[in-house]
Amino acid sequence: MAKEQRVLVIDDEKINLKIIGDMLNDDVHIMMAKSGEQGIRKAIEYQPDLILLDVVMPEMDGFETMSRLRHNVQTSAIPVIFITALNDASHEEKALLMGASDYIQKPLHTNIVQARVRLHLELVKQRKLLEELANIDPLTALANRRKYQDVIADEWQNAIHNHRCISLLVIDIDNFKQYNDCYGHATGDTVLKQVAAVLANQVADKGLVARYGGEEFVIVLPGYSQEASEEIARYCMQDVESLNLVYSHEEFSGKVTVSVGGATKTPTSKCDIDNFFNMADEMLCVAKKSGKNKILWKLPSDLPIVAK
């Protein structure tokens, strides 16, 4: 059981908090709450991996606490183990029907509590790993289109709430079909990996890089102006060109480069997020048709800006 995993214990009795804390403290970070209200606040703020919840508490009992946890989008996925002195089977049934992961009866036995907590934390770890894999493009190890859609939706709402701009780059590898025709898809896959590494290196922690599909990538840059985003795009282009991926065939020859379509917007609740992508994608299409290896930017005025 990894020490970095966090368990929140909600119980109104200090002695119970201490007993459970002593049982688990060697393996996990323990957080404690003395009431349902406090437990909900801590669950929202700290996002524990697992919650141990007492049933019998004053003011707000464990069942009401569980109900509120399940109806809050920030805590609904956190697994909960009920702990109680009640031995009525109907209470256990109620807890499980509400979505509890397990039900431990008092008096508590150290080995049983540790084993059950260890089991559920391992399940949490496996679930998170599967979620990560579901959001990763297997070839490039970048985020995939699904992850991009989740992130752009969140960042779009953040931009609306904070009244700040957001920029989007849509990037396509120029002449990729010709490179594939010359050297085959296996070598083409190597090019995709190399370009992906360049983009990831340039963006780092500034935003999200994702493979949108085929040889097309997207970069989400929250809070970045058109000028700042254009600079990132230009560095991406230069680094891809520096890879010197030259191809030569009887009918065609050249070098792999990238074209970029960009858009910057300070969105409001009336703005359409799909239109925002279309703005950048439209500029990419124009860049490809007008010579490739260039950046075209579309500002809110809808006037395209040629950056290169």
Side-chain angles (χ1 to χ4, degrees):
M1 201 157 47
K3 183 70 173 176
E4 67 268 13
Q5 289 184 291
R6 297 180 290 187
V7 174
L8 171 62
V9 184
I10 307 174
D11 197 310
D12 64 306
E13 296 287 343
K14 289 183 179 179
I15 186 63
N16 291 336
L17 292 173
K18 184 179 187 312
I19 289 171
I20 297 172
D22 289 344
M23 288 179 179
L24 303 174
N25 196 48
D26 290 341
D27 298 315
V28 298
H29 291 293
I30 296 292
M31 297 175 288
M32 299 181 180
K34 298 176 183 178
S35 68
E37 285 281 3
Q38 186 183 54
I40 291 168
R41 289 197 302 270
K42 287 193 173 184
I44 292 171
E45 181 177 359
Y46 297 108
Q47 294 293 300
D49 297 289
L50 179 66
I51 295 174
L52 302 186
L53 175 61
D54 187 30
V55 173
V56 181
M57 296 186 293
E59 298 179 14
M60 183 190 297
D61 67 12
F63 294 121
E64 185 179 350
T65 303
M66 176 70 173
S67 178
R68 288 179 55 178
L69 288 168
R70 282 294 171 264
H71 285 88
N72 188 313
V73 67
Q74 295 175 283
T75 58
S76 60
I78 302 174
V80 174
I81 297 177
F82 271 110
I83 295 179
T84 182
L86 300 174
N87 57 11
D88 186 343
S90 64
H91 288 95
E92 182 174 357
E93 180 185 11
K94 181 178 180 180
L96 296 174
L97 289 174
M98 292 183 73
S101 298
D102 210 338
Y103 191 94
I104 302 176
Q105 290 189 348
K106 298 176 183 177
L108 300 177
H109 300 281
T110 300
N111 291 341
I112 292 176
V113 173
Q114 289 177 338
R116 293 192 179 185
V117 167
R118 186 178 294 112
L119 169 63
H120 289 289
L121 287 178
E122 184 61 33
L123 292 174
V124 168
K125 193 185 298 182
Q126 292 176 11
R127 175 175 59 80
K128 289 183 176 180
L129 178 60
L130 289 173
E131 288 174 354
E132 290 176 6
L133 291 174
N135 289 318
I136 293 175
D137 173 59
L139 177 64
T140 63
L142 294 178
N144 59 16
R145 184 168 177 171
R146 172 184 171 183
K147 180 65 173 178
Y148 155 74
Q149 290 172 332
D150 289 342
V151 169
I152 190 69
D154 288 342
E155 294 297 349
W156 186 259
Q157 291 304 315
N158 289 338
I160 293 172
H161 179 74
N162 296 311
H163 307 288
R164 70 174 186 177
C165 68
I166 182 171
S167 289
L168 178 66
L169 311 179
V170 183
I171 301 172
D172 189 81
I173 302 177
D174 300 325
N175 311 314
F176 187 69
K177 182 182 183 302
Q178 286 88 336
Y179 197 94
N180 268 342
D181 289 345
C182 282
Y183 304 113
H185 290 283
T187 306
D189 285 349
T190 301
V191 171
L192 287 169
K193 293 177 185 177
Q194 289 177 284
V195 172
V198 164
L199 301 183
N201 182 62
Q202 277 300 336
V203 175
D205 58 355
K206 301 180 185 72
L208 175 84
V209 185
R211 184 182 178 194
Y212 194 77
E215 64 267 31
E216 191 167 82
F217 302 85
V218 287
I219 298 177
V220 182
L221 295 168
Y224 278 74
S225 66
Q226 181 259 325
E227 292 80 7
S229 302
E230 176 194 317
E231 183 178 22
I232 292 170
R234 185 174 290 108
Y235 282 129
C236 288
M237 293 176 64
Q238 291 172 354
D239 285 357
V240 169
E241 198 163 3
S242 296
L243 292 172
N244 201 34
L245 300 171
V246 178
Y247 59 89
S248 180
H249 190 269
E250 292 178 356
E251 299 179 4
F252 45 75
S253 62
K255 180 188 289 188
V256 172
T257 57
V258 294
S259 295
V260 183
T264 299
K265 199 169 187 65
T266 302
T268 67
S269 57
K270 297 180 180 179
C271 295
D272 182 8
I273 191 171
D274 291 332
N275 185 56
F276 182 54
F277 174 85
N278 291 338
M279 288 168 59
D281 194 48
E282 178 187 348
M283 290 298 93
L284 172 64
C285 291
V286 176
K288 299 283 284 185
K289 291 177 180 177
S290 60
K292 303 178 182 178
N293 194 26
K294 63 175 64 176
I295 308 168
L296 281 182
W297 214 275
K298 195 158 191 176
L299 297 175
S301 63
D302 289 340
L303 295 174
I305 306 297
V306 180
K308 181 178 178 180

